[in-house]
Every structure is written in structure tokens, then in C-alpha cells.
Amino acid sequence: MIPIGDKIFLSTNKKPLVVWFLIGINIALFLWEVKLEFGGELASFVNNWGLIPQQITTAFSSAIAGNPAAWLIVFWRLLSILSGMFIHGSYSQIVGNLIFLWVFGNTLEKIIGSGRFLLFYLFCGFLTGIVQVFAEPGLTVPLIGANGAIASVLGAYIYKFPKVKIDSILPLVILYIPVELPAFFYAFWWFVQQLFYGIGSLNIPGGVNPMGTGYLAHGVGLLIGVVWMVIMKL
């Protein structure tokens, strides 16, 4: 199922500049990843900038044990939660995430404002990464992709517009059937879609995003998005 737009008509003429920016930077970085793949340098890039929970928990344990220098490592590895949000491991993952960002983020940004939307996107993505670390603290394989932030965007959208119909396309081999689906359907479909994000994977030795507790924990982003909207009274 592919969402393509909603039926919300807003009085504002504001452009979703942050959504455009996020889509642009994600595409640019993915093209860079493809270049690195051809040069055999992609694994090093992903391991340096992707979220590896075990590196965070090890550094944190060392810092708590009395090693002041380890706090710098903790800070650096926490930044990898943000950088990992902009790296994707497959064509299907980046296409799926950016379609959701365009359809659901577009309207949401216009409603809450560009600055607030950018803060929302980064904060929710970061918080989801923290949840992933707690869910699987010993994981040594990188977790990458904007999945958690996108889940938060979807959760916030559904909270704000629970009864809105989403224009969608049902692909059947060579046929594409237009359908209308309630927004909350995509809370379920988001989880289903994760199963297909391995299609068109880049060649990353050692792999990324193992389908385990840590990876699926970014689904908490749906709830985080809702909580944000409640707290901010949006």
C-alpha cells in the first residue's frame, strides 16, 4: 500500500520547507552511500556514523566506572543517533521513509510550523534511538534509517487527524488501484512495511538493521509522536 496524499485543505500558503530539506539531504546522502559502495568504503562509513548500541553502553559503563575521558566517547556515540537517522541501508527503506515523510510530514509541518517541526523530527528520532539502545544494549550491528522519526511523524499525524482519509495506491503486479484509507490504517501498515525494507539492500559487509528487538523498538516512535502533540497542546 502506497500513500500519495491526504484530503486536508489548509488555509495557509506556507511551504513545507523542512520536509523538502529533509528529503533532499536524505537523497543526497544515499547517493553518497551508493558512491561509497562502489569504492568499497560503505561499511566503514556506516560503522562510524550509524547507531551501534553496544558502543554507547560500553562507553557509558566506562564513564560511570570513573573514566572521565569516556564521557567524550559517550557524547560522540550519542550523536550517532542523529547521524544514523540520515543513513539508509536499502533502496526500499529510503523510498518508503521519504514517501511517508512527504505525505504525513507535509501537512504536519504546515500545522505546527517549520521550526517546531524540525525540532520535533530530530528530538523524536533521537529519543527513539535511545529506546533502541535500551531495548538491545549489546547490539554490535549498526541501526540506521529515519524509521523512528518517520514513525513519530505518523503518530503525530494520526493523533491530529484520526478520521482523515489518505489517498493511496494498491499495487497489483502491473495494476495500480486507487483507494482511500483511514489514516490510522498506516499505523498498522508502518510495521508491515518494515519487513520489506531489506529489498534492494546496499552491500554493507556485516549487515545493518537486524530484524530484532532493537530494530523494531523504533515503533515506539508512534507513541512518542502522540505524546509530543499532547504535551505541546497541538
Side-chain angles (χ1 to χ4, degrees):
M1 201 66 62
I2 305 173
I4 57 174
D6 60 30
K7 293 187 176 299
I8 298 175
F9 298 97
L10 304 174
S11 58
T12 178
N13 291 320
K14 293 180 180 178
K15 304 298 183 183
L17 299 179
V18 171
V19 167
W20 291 353
F21 168 76
L22 291 173
I23 289 175
I25 195 170
N26 273 284
I27 291 175
L29 281 173
F30 190 75
L31 292 176
W32 178 253
E33 288 181 67
V34 173
K35 178 180 180 297
L36 292 177
E37 180 185 23
F38 282 112
E41 303 173 281
L42 183 56
S44 176
F45 175 76
V46 170
N47 279 283
N48 283 330
W49 297 99
L51 166 60
I52 303 178
Q54 187 267 344
Q55 292 183 347
I56 294 178
T57 54
T58 298
F60 185 74
S61 296
S62 178
I64 293 295
N67 180 6
W71 286 111
L72 293 176
I73 301 176
V74 171
F75 176 74
W76 174 252
R77 295 317 305 176
L78 285 175
L79 289 180
S80 70
I81 297 177
L82 292 176
S83 59
M85 289 167 52
F86 295 91
I87 304 171
H88 290 81
S90 70
Y91 290 90
S92 56
Q93 185 185 27
I94 188 170
V95 169
N97 278 339
L98 295 190
I99 287 176
F100 269 59
L101 177 59
W102 171 252
V103 173
F104 300 105
N106 194 321
T107 300
L108 192 62
E109 179 181 346
K110 292 177 182 178
I111 291 295
I112 70 176
S114 295
R116 195 178 290 176
F117 180 79
L118 179 59
L119 178 62
F120 163 83
Y121 185 89
L122 296 176
F123 177 79
C124 291
F126 181 83
L127 193 57
T128 302
I130 294 295
V131 172
Q132 290 181 285
V133 172
F134 276 101
E136 205 162 359
L139 185 65
T140 59
V141 179
L143 296 170
I144 58 175
N147 305 40
I150 299 302
S152 296
V153 170
L154 179 58
Y157 183 97
I158 294 172
Y159 170 79
K160 189 69 177 179
F161 309 106
K163 297 181 180 179
V164 166
K165 298 290 186 180
I166 306 297
D167 291 325
S168 309
I169 293 176
L170 173 62
L172 295 175
V173 190
I174 60 173
L175 296 178
Y176 293 86
I177 303 174
V179 295
E180 287 187 0
L181 295 168
F184 64 79
F185 166 83
Y186 280 98
F188 157 75
W189 188 251
W190 183 89
F191 284 98
V192 174
Q193 192 166 277
Q194 307 306 304
L195 303 176
F196 300 97
Y197 276 179
I199 298 174
S201 294
L202 299 178
N203 182 21
I204 306 175
V208 294
N209 296 337
M211 191 64 71
T213 306
Y215 178 74
L216 294 176
H218 56 214
V220 175
L222 287 163
L223 179 60
I224 292 174
V226 172
V227 171
W228 172 284
M229 297 295 282
V230 172
I231 292 176
M232 294 295 147
K233 299 180 180 179
L234 296 171

